[in-house]
């Protein structure tokens, strides 16, 4: 009887450990605004006022950069594209200059 | 729309300006819906679930006879349900205010407790069906086996709780209150993993575990156990047979009605996870479906006391007795005589029931 018990305990704890490693269920919100796709066209630098980062590790599904334009648009762009990276560098330098 | 003058650019800017720009999917209308619907639904579920399950806990706590395994599971399920519904006011406030205002610690706690008790309730549903299976189908071995498991009932429940905590530990680990901004910056309480980890894979894993433990495992156990129970009940000639079958069918139907829609939505979400170029319209529809079906799934913990405890004649009569006793404590001077006659008839009824069946000492 003790054996049965011990075995089931070991089995349960092993199962628990496995699940712990894999992590468990959670309740994710689905009412947040997220980028679902990337813009096909490029944006000129002068049109960009600022940017926000969307991380796939957070509530949204995909990683994206959101450029806020002077005209009040939010443009989802692919963070892996070269022109986006250049724009981001330029924006951060501009920000640095402004804060200095 | 565009007040800027794009005359100095070499980009194809103005012509297909809007068609080339992908904007974030605005879920404003979903938020307007969740702002009203979820606080109302969660508050109702919280109140009804709290009242029903507190009655169950109270009745079990005051019941002095030996309890069956199912009774012990039911007691634990009621406690899990109580803890679960107690987190709902926080979520109601979260959706009403459209931001998380309770801080990081409460975020981790409420998401963790939410997951633990949801999983614990589901695992206990599976265990209850197993216990009933042993009691009815394995009736010959049942007395010995059930006495043995009853001796370890505390240990088994402890294992169930530990397993639920372990399954839910990621909710503690990966929940965080953080600021989220697209149009406006606000605090939200949600999943957040390390940036280095492969998040779509992680999210997929979390979802499939939720599907597995929250639905498929209890479902498999229920289908297996209750099929055999109904089969063996059909062979016997017992006046209580039809009622028992009806109760079982009701339990399975309520489980399916409450859980299947929500799990279908989760399944659809899981298959679409990490995909590019999803349409905003279908995302919104899925969001509506998710919140509606989730509320239906939560309703299950209000129905558990009714389905599992109050359907049992003995539970009901004992509950009535306790209620009367409580009532009489307040009005002892006036009602002491009528109370005694009531509990007398109750006791004789109960002994006759214990003699007539040992399927479950308290329920069915």
């Amino acid at each position: 009887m003790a054996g049965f018990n011990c075995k089931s305990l070991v089995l349960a704890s092993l199962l628990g450990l496995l699940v712990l490693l894999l992590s468990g269920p959670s309740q994710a919100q689905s009412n947040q605004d997220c980028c679902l796709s990337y813009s096909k066209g490029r944006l000129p630098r002068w049109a960009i006022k600022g940017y926000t980062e969307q991380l796939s590790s957070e509530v949204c599904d995909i990683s994206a950069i959101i450029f806020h334009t002077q005209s009040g648009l939010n443009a989802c762009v692919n963070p892996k594209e070269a022109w986006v990276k250049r724009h981001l560098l330029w924006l951060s330098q501009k920000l640095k200059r402004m804060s200095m | 729309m565009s007040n800027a003058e794009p005359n100095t650019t070499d980009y194809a800017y103005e012509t297909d300006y809007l068609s080339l720009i992908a904007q974030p999917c605005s879920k404003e209308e979903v938020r307007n819906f969740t702002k009203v619907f979820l606080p109302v639904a969660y508050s109702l579920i919280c109140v009804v679930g709290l009242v029903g399950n507190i009655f169950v806990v109270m009745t079990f706590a005051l019941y002095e006879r030996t309890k069956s395994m199912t009774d012990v599971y039911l007691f634990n399920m009621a406690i899990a349900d109580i803890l679960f519904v107690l987190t709902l006011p926080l979520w109601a406030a979260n959706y009403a205010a459209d931001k998380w205002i309770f801080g990081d610690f409460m975020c981790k706690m409420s998401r963790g407790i939410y997951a633990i008790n949801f999983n614990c309730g589901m695992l206990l549903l599976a265990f209850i069906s197993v216990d009933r299976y042993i009691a009815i189908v394995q009736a010959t071995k049942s007395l010995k086996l059930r006495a043995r498991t009853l001796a370890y009932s505390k240990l088994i429940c402890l294992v169930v709780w530990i397993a639920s905590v372990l399954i839910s530990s990621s909710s503690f680990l990966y929940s965080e209150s953080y600021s989220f901004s697209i149009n406006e910056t606000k605090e939200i309480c949600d999943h957040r993993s390390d940036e280095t980890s492969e998040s779509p894979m992680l999210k997929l894993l979390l979802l499939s575990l939720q599907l597995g433990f929250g639905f498929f495992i209890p479902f498999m156990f229920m289908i297996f156990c209750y099929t055999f129970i109904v089969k063996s009940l059909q062979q016997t000639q017992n006046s209580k047979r039809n009622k028992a079958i009806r109760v079982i069918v009701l339990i399975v139907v309520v489980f399916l009605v409450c859980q299947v829609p929500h799990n279908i939505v989760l399944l659809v979400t899981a298959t679409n996870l990490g995909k590019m170029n999803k349409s905003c319209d279908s995302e919104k529809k899925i969001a509506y479906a998710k919140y509606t079906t989730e509320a239906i799934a939560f309703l299950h913990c209000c129905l558990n006391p009714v389905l599992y405890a109050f359907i049992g004649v003995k539970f009901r009569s004992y509950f009535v007795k306790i209620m009367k006793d409580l009532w009489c404590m307040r009005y002892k001077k006036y009602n002491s005589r009528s109370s005694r006659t009531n509990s007398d008839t109750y006791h004789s009824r109960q002994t006759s029931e214990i003699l007539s069946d040992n399927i479950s000492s308290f329920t069915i």
Side-chain angles (χ1 to χ4, degrees):
Chain A
M1 207 179 289
F4 159 77
N5 224 355
C6 206
K7 231 190 272 172
S8 65
L9 203 70
V10 168
L11 203 73
S13 47
L14 270 179
L15 192 78
L17 212 68
L18 179 78
V19 169
L20 173 70
L21 290 174
L22 302 175
S23 350
S26 61
Q27 172 205 37
Q29 290 186 36
S30 338
N31 60 355
Q32 305 298 345
D33 297 350
C34 288
C35 289
L36 303 176
S37 52
Y38 301 134
S39 302
K40 287 174 192 78
R42 294 178 177 188
L43 286 166
R45 265 180 197 171
W46 54 262
I48 298 166
K49 208 168 54 179
Y51 76 99
T52 314
E53 234 182 318
Q54 173 177 305
L55 300 168
S56 68
S57 59
E58 295 183 353
V59 69
C60 297
D61 250 18
I62 58 169
S63 291
I65 299 291
I66 302 148
F67 281 140
H68 308 296
T69 68
Q70 304 284 1
S71 53
L73 278 178
N74 295 316
C76 299
V77 293
N78 188 349
K80 287 190 179 121
E81 274 182 57
W83 73 271
V84 175
K85 283 179 184 163
R86 280 200 304 274
H87 278 37
L88 284 176
L89 199 69
W90 177 77
L91 272 170
S92 61
Q93 277 165 357
K94 196 172 108 180
L95 267 170
K96 217 185 267 171
R97 270 201 306 275
M98 272 159 69
S99 64
M100 269 203 300
Chain B
M1 195 85 179
S2 69
N3 50 8
E5 298 283 290
N7 47 8
T8 53
T9 175
D10 49 357
Y11 298 104
Y13 187 56
E14 178 132 69
T15 44
D16 295 306
Y17 188 74
L18 278 171
S19 67
L20 293 175
I21 299 291
Q23 295 216 66
C25 175
S26 169
K27 292 194 180 144
E28 181 88 48
E29 53 175 291
V30 179
R31 283 197 292 278
N32 287 336
F33 168 73
T34 54
K35 213 175 249 182
V36 180
F37 173 72
L38 291 182
V40 171
Y42 286 3
S43 309
L44 280 176
I45 291 166
C46 180
V47 169
V48 175
L50 212 55
V51 169
N53 285 295
I54 282 176
F55 279 151
V56 173
V57 168
M58 212 170 64
T59 312
F60 279 120
L62 296 172
Y63 186 73
E64 279 141 14
R65 282 158 207 279
T66 47
K67 299 169 182 93
S68 75
M69 226 26 230
T70 297
D71 299 340
V72 177
Y73 293 144
L74 280 174
F75 177 73
N76 279 275
M77 194 162 77
I79 288 177
D81 283 346
I82 287 173
L83 288 173
F84 172 74
V85 296
L86 282 178
T87 63
L88 289 182
L90 295 179
W91 292 107
N94 172 60
Y95 286 111
D98 193 26
K99 63 182 173 210
W100 184 257
I101 48 173
F102 304 104
D104 195 43
F105 176 74
M106 284 306 281
C107 171
K108 277 188 193 298
M109 283 307 282
S110 66
R111 276 174 65 94
I113 289 171
Y114 168 98
I116 288 172
N117 295 292
F118 193 78
N119 289 318
C120 190
M122 285 301 174
L123 286 179
L124 285 168
L125 282 182
F127 275 77
I128 287 170
S129 57
V130 171
D131 185 61
R132 285 178 169 172
Y133 169 79
I134 294 170
I136 296 170
V137 180
Q138 310 284 332
T140 45
K141 303 176 209 160
S142 119
L143 276 178
K144 233 179 170 177
L145 194 60
R146 294 185 94 206
R148 192 203 283 174
T149 48
L150 197 55
Y152 291 101
S153 63
K154 283 200 181 110
L155 189 85
I156 292 171
C157 288
L158 191 72
V159 169
V160 169
W161 279 98
I162 290 173
S164 318
V165 171
L166 289 178
I167 298 163
S168 319
S169 56
S170 75
S171 286
F172 284 104
L173 292 175
Y174 292 113
S175 291
E176 225 172 283
S177 174
Y178 56 92
S179 58
F180 176 81
S181 59
I182 282 189
N183 290 320
E184 38 163 359
T185 306
K186 61 184 171 191
E187 227 22 49
I188 63 167
C189 169
D190 209 288
H191 169 96
R192 187 191 217 178
S193 56
D194 310 321
E195 275 179 62
T196 46
S197 67
E198 202 51 60
S199 338
M201 278 306 287
L202 185 69
K203 279 182 189 169
L204 190 68
L205 229 93
L206 297 181
L207 259 175
S208 32
L209 278 164
Q210 185 173 359
L211 275 166
F213 280 91
F215 181 71
F216 283 110
I217 288 177
F219 180 65
M220 287 319 230
F221 273 96
M222 282 171 97
I223 288 299
F224 176 81
C225 295
Y226 288 140
T227 308
F228 280 100
I229 288 172
V230 168
K231 258 187 196 161
S232 70
L233 279 175
Q234 275 171 338
Q235 286 159 7
T236 59
Q237 292 297 319
N238 190 323
S239 58
K240 286 188 174 170
R241 188 190 79 172
N242 285 329
K243 198 217 163 190
I245 291 177
R246 266 208 305 276
V247 169
I248 285 166
V249 169
L250 192 68
I251 285 170
V252 175
V253 166
V254 169
F255 176 84
L256 291 179
V257 167
C258 289
Q259 299 299 335
V260 165
H262 183 225
N263 283 281
I264 286 174
V265 174
L266 286 180
L267 205 64
V268 170
T269 316
T271 53
N272 285 333
L273 211 66
K275 270 188 194 156
M276 290 293 302
N277 305 324
K278 285 183 280 190
S279 93
C280 189
D281 258 0
S282 65
E283 277 296 284
K284 275 191 241 171
K285 274 183 197 133
I286 287 175
Y288 280 121
K290 194 211 142 185
Y291 287 115
T292 318
T293 56
E294 198 177 58
I296 297 170
F298 291 174
L299 203 65
H300 201 208
C301 63
C302 302
L303 295 173
N304 280 337
V306 179
L307 275 179
Y308 286 87
F310 285 97
I311 227 160
V313 178
K314 262 171 270 175
F315 182 94
R316 222 163 41 224
S317 54
Y318 195 76
F319 172 73
V320 169
K321 178 189 178 270
I322 285 172
M323 285 290 108
K324 274 185 180 151
D325 284 354
L326 285 176
W327 188 256
C328 291
M329 251 186 262
R330 288 171 61 192
Y331 299 97
K332 213 163 197 169
K333 312 172 219 175
Y334 313 105
N335 287 21
S336 60
R337 268 193 63 195
S338 73
S339 137
R340 199 185 308 131
T341 38
N342 269 333
S343 63
D344 281 350
T345 51
Y346 158 75
H347 274 305
S348 59
R349 201 193 312 159
Q350 191 165 52
T351 30
S352 74
E353 258 172 46
I354 282 170
L355 289 174
S356 67
D357 75 3
N358 67 342
I359 283 174
S360 166
S361 71
F362 219 18
T363 45
I364 284 208

